[in-house]
């Protein structure tokens, strides 16, 4: 068995919160103790960090493979330093039975060059009426249960599903949004939406959604993760819930950390997201919450859409953006802006999501899988969306000036991107 | 001439001097329209297509008449009845039309921003005849012309816009235009019909009519759409009329020479009392209709001049 030594690397260690120049050794796909190396890779002082664990990636199999397949998503992930994709069940059909889950798992194992884990729906067809076979799905490999952006409105159904999930120690991921208030909304209410004449939802709808789900967690004791917190007003409720000892974590999306409602400008549909982009005050509050650790996880919320579904009037256009490849450079804006250091950022990108799912990944300690990304945090470039690996090119960062280039990505010690 | 626009998609893109240029030209077209021969040939040889994805009788007729008085070849397309029903996207419709080589495209669409989107895909001049809740620029321009002719100026006036502001593209275009021309704008309506973030618009907001109308020079009423009347946004038609309908008592708080405007069609007895609407000393509602044709003539004339200049440069 050969020992590879990655030398002269700026090691970003989210576990210890440290950043130091040093070496890392890899043997048999895991991070190994130092020893006499058979091969040496010179990292030339660039940053070596655990690969990103991305909860909430949409790969459009089954149903819409023309938008994204496991092969293309895997390539995009590798190019973006994402070594584990945790996929969403909001496909067509919904991933809500063990049979469908086994199918997508086969597809993923055959085609994806990075690790793939799957989430399954909490209710059948994401309809919010009957719970799925949580036990069978768990046996088939589902790591979490979520109806994605479709909120279970019937609290009786939800309380039963959560109680049942609790009995299996399953993780449930909720989309926090008061569903009636947000019906038909495509923007956050405020000056911008009013001037543009877009149907909008108050940011309060998010806090109301969180309040409800926190009560549900208190009632059932389920392990719960809020997929995207994007408004300042939801943060005190999250903080209280954590202080009260509930098993709650929260995430946010890379877009809500780096863009605001005004970026929509003249009805640019690539900026149409769910929940919609927020005002700058909210964005800054969410950035602070990630820096302080109140928000645990940053996700790409990678949502491929083809040109046809975006080239429509804003209200009718599909929501979501691709972001597997742009998450790392976009997140560098938070570092270059002085909001947080690299180890803190990497807690949210790799360590915390891995811990939440009970994975060994997401860290650089001996024995952990050698899932790693080597990147230059300063390298500038201008993004051309047609150069993305994703089949869909719907990125809000088209033409944006970004800093931070992935130089190499390894999954279990095997290079999947870069030529180092 | 100060008018540099390729399209007329909204008031937001216009500079004050462009608005003045357009209104000055519209004044001349008012004279033309009142004359014996209501016809010129400034648009001769050009094709104007009116595409209305939403019902409209008045605006469409006004644009049609404006085009015909300027000598354009005018075609109307009722889009609800056509290919949209067959699943064609807006972009495909635009490309199809573009291939017919129109010069002026007048578009109304129920979605905010749809006219902007369409304008990106065609090679002619596009006029927004109303998009969703976004803008209705020719309505704001005709209102401005009406005010300027009635008051002798279009600046330093106190102007109240009353009613369903949240759902009104007319209100948006008007408050942008009136702000650009340095007037004081007040918005009056129940909180359920005011848009969010309204405090940041640089306007004064009132939920009480008598307070809001105090000493204003111009009262602009907005139409309250039937589907918003019952229980959803306001309790009932009669309570709305009681609190926000413009009647003699409420109007008495405005200046004695205040004018009353309404973009039409009116709901008499809902947002406006019939006798006020018909009072020739106060109401300029009929003038607004007349100014509408003149303003649309001016807008199409200016856009056509720019279009011809661009084509000459390209050739």
């Amino acid at each position: 068995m050969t020992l590879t030594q990655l030398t002269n690397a700026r090691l970003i260690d989210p576990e210890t919160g440290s950043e130091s120049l040093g070496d890392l050794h890899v043997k048999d796909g895991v991070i190994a103790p130092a020893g006499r190396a058979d091969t040496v890779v010179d990292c030339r002082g660039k940053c070596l960090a655990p690969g990103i664990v991305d909860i909430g990636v949409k790969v459009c199999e089954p149903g819409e493979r023309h938008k994204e397949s496991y092969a293309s998503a895997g390539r995009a992930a590798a190019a973006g330093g994402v070594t584990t994709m945790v996929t969403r069940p909001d496909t067509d059909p919904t991933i809500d039975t063990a049979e469908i889950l086994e199918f997508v798992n086969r597809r993923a194992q055959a085609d994806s060059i990075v690790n793939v884990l799957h989430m399954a729906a909490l209710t059948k067809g994401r309809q919010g009426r009957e719970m799925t076979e949580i036990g069978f799905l768990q046996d088939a490999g589902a790591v979490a249960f979520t109806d994605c952006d479709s909120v279970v409105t019937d609290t009786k159904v939800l309380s039963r599903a959560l109680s049942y999930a609790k009995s299996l120690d399953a993780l449930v991921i909720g989309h926090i949004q008061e569903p009636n208030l947000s019906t038909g909304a495509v923007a956050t209410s405020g000056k911008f939406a009013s001037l543009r004449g877009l149907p909008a939802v108050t940011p309060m709808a998010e806090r109301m959604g969180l309040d409800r789900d926190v009560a549900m967690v208190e009632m059932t004791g389920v392990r719960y993760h809020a997929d995207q917190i994007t408004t300042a007003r939801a943060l005190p409720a999250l903080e209280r819930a954590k202080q009260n000892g509930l098993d709650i974590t929260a995430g946010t999306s890379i877009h809500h950390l780096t863009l605001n409602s005004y970026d929509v400008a003249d009805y640019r549909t690539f900026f149409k997201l769910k929940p919609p982009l927020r005002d700058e005050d909210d964005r800054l509050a969410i950035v602070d919450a990630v820096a302080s650790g109140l928000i645990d996880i940053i996700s790409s919320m990678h949502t491929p859409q083809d040109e046809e579904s975006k080239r429509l009037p804003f209200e009718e256009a599909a929501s979501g953006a691709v972001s597997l490849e742009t998450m790392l450079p976009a997140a560098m804006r938070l570092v270059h802006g002085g909001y947080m250091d690299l180890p803190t950022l990497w807690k949210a990108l790799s360590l915390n999501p891995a811990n939440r799912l009970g994975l060994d990944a997401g860290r650089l300690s001996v024995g952990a899988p050698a899932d790693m990304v080597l990147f230059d945090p300063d390298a500038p470039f201008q993004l051309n969306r047609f150069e993305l690996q994703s089949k869909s090119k719907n990125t809000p960062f088209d033409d944006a000036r970004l800093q931070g280039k992935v130089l190499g990505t390894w999954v279990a010690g095997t290079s999947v991107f870069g030529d180092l | 001439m100060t008018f540099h626009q390729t399209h007329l998609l909204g008031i937001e893109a216009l500079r004050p001097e462009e608005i003045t240029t357009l209104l000055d030209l519209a004044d001349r077209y008012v004279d033309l329209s009142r004359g014996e021969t209501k016809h010129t040939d400034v648009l001769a040889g050009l094709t104007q297509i009116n595409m209305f994805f939403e019902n409209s009788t008045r605006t469409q007729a006004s644009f049609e008449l404006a085009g015909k008085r300027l000598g354009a070849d005018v075609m109307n397309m009722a889009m609800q009845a056509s290919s949209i029903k067959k699943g064609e996207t807006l972009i495909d419709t635009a490309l199809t039309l573009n291939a017919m080589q129109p010069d002026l495209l007048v578009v109304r669409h129920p979605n905010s921003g749809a006219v902007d989107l369409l304008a990106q895909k065609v090679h002619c001049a596009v006029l927004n005849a109303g998009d969703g809740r976004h803008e209705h620029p020719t309505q704001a321009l005709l209102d401005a012309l009406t005010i300027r002719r009635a008051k002798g100026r279009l600046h330093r006036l106190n102007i109240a816009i009353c009613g369903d502001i949240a759902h009104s593209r007319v209100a948006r275009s008007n408050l942008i235009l009136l702000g650009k021309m340095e007037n004081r704008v007040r918005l009056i309506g129940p909180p359920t019909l005011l848009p969010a973030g309204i405090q940041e618009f640089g306007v004064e907001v009132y939920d009480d009519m008598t307070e809001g109308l105090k000493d204003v020079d111009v009262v602009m009423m907005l139409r309250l759409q039937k589907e918003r009347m019952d229980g959803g946004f306001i309790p009932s038609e009669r309570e709305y009329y009681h609190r926000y309908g413009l009647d003699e008592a409420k109007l008495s708080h405005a200046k004695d020479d205040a004018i009353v405007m309404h973009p039409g069609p009116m709901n008499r007895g809902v947002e406006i009392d019939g006798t006020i609407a018909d009072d020739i000393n106060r109401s300029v509602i009929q003038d607004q209709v007349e100014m509408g044709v003149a303003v649309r003539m001016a807008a199409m004339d200016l856009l056509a001049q720019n279009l011809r200049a661009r084509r000459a440069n390209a050739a």
Side-chain angles (χ1 to χ4, degrees):
Chain A
M1 293 297 140
T2 60
L3 183 71
T4 306
Q5 179 182 16
L6 294 122
T7 184
N8 194 20
R10 218 170 114 196
L11 298 170
I12 310 298
D13 187 345
E15 256 182 325
T16 57
S18 68
E19 189 179 333
S20 59
L21 209 63
D23 294 357
L24 197 74
H25 297 78
V26 173
K27 191 178 178 182
D28 299 336
V30 296
I31 294 167
R36 222 177 65 85
D38 303 292
T39 34
V40 176
V41 177
D42 183 1
C43 296
R44 289 170 303 183
K46 303 303 183 204
C47 293
L48 187 66
I52 295 168
V53 178
D54 190 2
I55 299 181
V57 175
K58 174 152 182 199
V59 178
C60 307
E61 291 189 56
E64 297 173 303
R65 223 164 112 183
H66 66 287
K67 291 186 178 178
E68 194 82 287
S69 67
Y70 276 100
S72 62
R75 283 194 301 274
V82 174
T83 51
T84 302
M85 296 191 284
V86 183
T87 63
R88 304 206 306 253
D90 55 342
T91 46
D92 183 18
T94 305
I95 301 173
D96 59 0
T97 65
E99 290 74 16
I100 300 175
L101 186 64
E102 276 160 13
F103 166 77
V104 293
N105 198 29
R106 251 195 334 271
R107 296 283 311 127
Q109 298 314 318
D111 277 2
S112 170
I113 54 175
V114 305
N115 302 318
V116 181
L117 296 169
H118 304 282
M119 299 191 284
L122 183 68
T123 67
K124 290 175 187 163
R126 302 194 298 129
Q127 301 281 319
R129 287 197 283 269
E130 298 165 75
M131 70 177 93
T132 51
E133 294 171 321
I134 297 173
F136 281 157
L137 284 160
Q138 220 176 15
D139 292 344
V143 294
F145 294 83
T146 180
D147 278 358
C148 302
D149 61 2
S150 153
V151 178
V152 180
T153 49
D154 187 329
T155 44
K156 193 165 262 176
V157 170
L158 184 62
S159 68
R160 287 174 184 155
L162 295 186
S163 300
Y164 194 84
K166 158 74 181 164
S167 73
L168 291 162
D169 200 29
L171 177 67
V172 172
I173 298 184
H175 183 69
I176 48 167
Q177 194 68 220
E178 207 295 309
N180 293 312
L181 263 179
S182 51
T183 303
V186 298
T188 303
S189 65
K191 184 185 178 187
F192 180 78
S194 291
L195 277 174
R196 285 288 180 272
L198 293 172
V201 59
T202 164
M204 270 300 193
E206 183 173 292
R207 196 192 102 184
M208 292 166 71
L210 181 63
D211 282 342
R212 185 198 76 164
D213 282 12
V214 166
M216 285 291 196
V217 173
E218 197 175 327
M219 189 167 109
T220 59
V222 73
R223 293 169 58 218
Y224 180 89
H225 175 73
D227 66 346
Q228 302 177 72
I229 291 193
T230 60
T231 61
R233 282 229 167 94
L235 293 172
L238 174 66
E239 196 167 13
R240 271 197 309 278
K242 284 186 163 190
Q243 278 166 0
N244 291 343
L246 300 180
D247 193 353
I248 286 186
T249 50
T252 192
S253 94
I254 187 64
H255 297 119
H256 291 90
L257 286 170
T258 50
L259 304 168
N260 70 30
S261 55
Y262 281 78
D263 284 310
V264 169
D266 289 323
Y267 305 101
R268 296 194 288 174
T269 55
F270 283 5
F271 292 79
K272 183 178 176 186
L273 304 172
K274 214 170 168 186
L277 286 169
R278 307 302 192 180
D279 289 342
E280 183 65 2
D281 291 348
D282 282 319
R283 185 187 76 83
L284 290 171
I286 297 305
V287 170
D288 284 346
V290 171
S292 74
L294 178 59
I295 288 180
D296 306 85
I297 293 169
I298 301 174
S299 294
S300 71
M301 285 295 154
H302 183 79
T303 305
Q305 299 289 1
D306 53 19
E307 303 286 307
E308 283 66 38
S309 48
K310 282 287 188 184
R311 239 179 358 196
L312 291 169
F314 198 84
E315 279 169 63
E316 291 175 2
S319 300
V322 292
S323 46
L324 280 166
E325 291 166 85
T326 48
M327 175 154 64
L328 187 145
M332 282 307 129
R333 286 185 174 177
L334 306 176
V335 175
H336 293 304
Y339 296 105
M340 60 190 77
D341 57 17
L342 282 167
T344 306
L345 175 64
W346 243 263
K347 269 186 195 143
L349 287 175
S350 74
L351 183 67
N352 291 344
N355 282 344
R356 194 54 171 149
L357 297 173
L359 309 177
D360 296 330
R363 67 204 84 209
L364 293 180
S365 48
V366 171
D371 296 347
M372 303 167 300
V373 54
L374 181 72
F375 64 98
D376 179 343
D378 303 313
F381 68 103
Q382 190 167 10
L383 188 93
N384 173 358
R385 68 188 181 105
F386 296 106
E387 289 171 3
L388 294 175
Q389 299 290 330
S390 282
K391 281 193 184 177
S392 295
K393 312 294 181 190
N394 54 309
T395 172
F397 293 109
D398 188 30
D399 280 340
R401 287 163 208 279
L402 295 162
Q403 263 184 291
K405 267 189 178 170
V406 175
L407 305 171
T409 305
W410 291 265
V411 173
T414 306
S415 171
V416 292
F417 180 79
D419 48 9
L420 284 142
Chain B
M1 184 191 78
T2 317
F3 194 85
H4 301 292
Q5 305 292 321
T6 309
H7 308 293
L8 182 63
L9 300 177
I11 299 297
E12 207 182 345
L14 298 182
R15 288 183 295 143
E17 53 271 32
E18 291 180 310
I19 293 170
T20 304
T21 300
L22 198 151
L23 297 183
D24 290 347
L25 181 59
D27 264 331
R28 302 221 297 276
Y29 282 128
V30 174
D31 298 338
L32 178 83
S33 296
R34 286 178 182 177
E36 193 79 355
T37 312
K38 306 171 169 44
H39 202 274
T40 72
D41 55 3
V42 299
L43 296 187
L46 299 185
T47 303
Q48 173 194 341
I49 300 182
N50 297 334
M51 279 171 85
F52 280 65
F53 294 90
E54 200 179 68
N55 268 328
S56 161
T57 313
R58 305 156 59 99
T59 307
Q60 186 172 333
S62 183
F63 268 108
E64 185 177 351
L65 194 56
K68 284 182 170 162
R69 283 189 181 162
L70 295 177
D73 298 312
V74 186
M75 182 175 86
N76 289 316
M77 292 180 72
M79 298 308 294
Q80 300 111 312
S82 82
S83 45
I84 289 296
K85 284 263 163 68
K86 298 174 195 155
E88 189 177 62
T89 66
L90 181 62
I91 299 290
D92 285 336
T93 307
L95 293 176
T96 306
L97 272 177
N98 196 46
M100 296 179 190
Q101 306 289 348
D103 304 288
L104 294 155
L105 205 51
V106 178
V107 187
R108 169 170 288 189
H109 197 281
N111 289 137
S112 303
V115 183
D116 294 52
L117 179 67
L118 200 140
Q120 294 164 16
K121 306 289 172 188
V122 296
H123 299 119
C124 58
V126 176
L127 291 99
N128 181 359
D131 63 323
R133 308 174 188 177
H134 179 218
E135 282 229 45
H136 190 353
T138 54
Q139 178 71 41
L141 288 162
L142 75 88
D143 287 341
L145 184 63
T146 309
I147 294 170
R148 198 172 79 165
R149 291 172 71 103
K151 290 284 158 195
R153 66 175 198 268
L154 187 58
H155 55 89
R156 281 190 285 135
L157 293 167
N158 281 311
I159 299 170
I161 305 178
C162 317
D164 183 3
I165 292 153
H167 302 100
S168 172
R169 53 194 172 216
V170 176
R172 264 175 203 67
S173 287
N174 260 315
L175 73 91
I176 297 169
L177 187 149
L178 295 169
K180 275 185 202 274
M181 305 312 278
E182 301 185 2
N183 296 283
R184 287 179 71 171
V185 179
R186 302 177 185 181
L187 302 181
I188 312 172
T192 46
L193 295 177
L194 292 175
I198 194 88
Q199 304 80 3
E200 296 171 55
F201 283 32
V203 295
E204 297 162 50
V205 183
Y206 295 85
D207 56 16
D208 182 276
M209 277 288 265
T210 49
E211 221 178 288
L213 289 182
K214 197 168 180 323
D215 295 331
V216 298
D217 299 289
V218 177
V219 183
M220 277 189 182
M221 301 306 298
L222 296 172
R223 174 180 163 76
L224 182 69
Q225 281 171 6
K226 287 260 183 240
E227 62 267 26
R228 314 215 197 278
M229 283 179 196
D230 299 317
F233 289 86
I234 51 163
S236 70
E237 211 173 299
R238 59 183 193 175
E239 180 159 328
Y240 185 80
Y241 181 64
H242 177 68
R243 295 192 62 203
Y244 296 101
L246 187 67
D247 56 18
E248 200 54 59
K250 295 189 190 95
L251 185 58
S252 68
H253 295 272
K255 280 192 185 153
D256 291 339
D257 61 349
I259 55 168
V260 174
M261 307 176 76
H262 193 296
M266 282 181 281
N267 297 306
R268 289 168 188 259
V270 179
E271 69 255 357
I272 190 163
D273 186 274
T275 53
I276 291 178
D278 297 333
D279 180 351
I280 51 162
N281 295 316
R282 313 301 293 269
S283 164
V284 293
I285 295 169
Q286 295 308 314
D287 302 272
Q288 286 174 275
V289 179
E290 186 189 2
M291 296 310 128
V293 179
V295 152
R296 285 164 185 135
M297 290 167 81
M300 290 197 286
D301 182 357
L302 291 169
L303 289 174
Q305 288 179 39
N306 288 352
L307 182 74
R308 284 174 163 145
R310 268 201 320 283
R311 284 177 179 168
N313 280 340

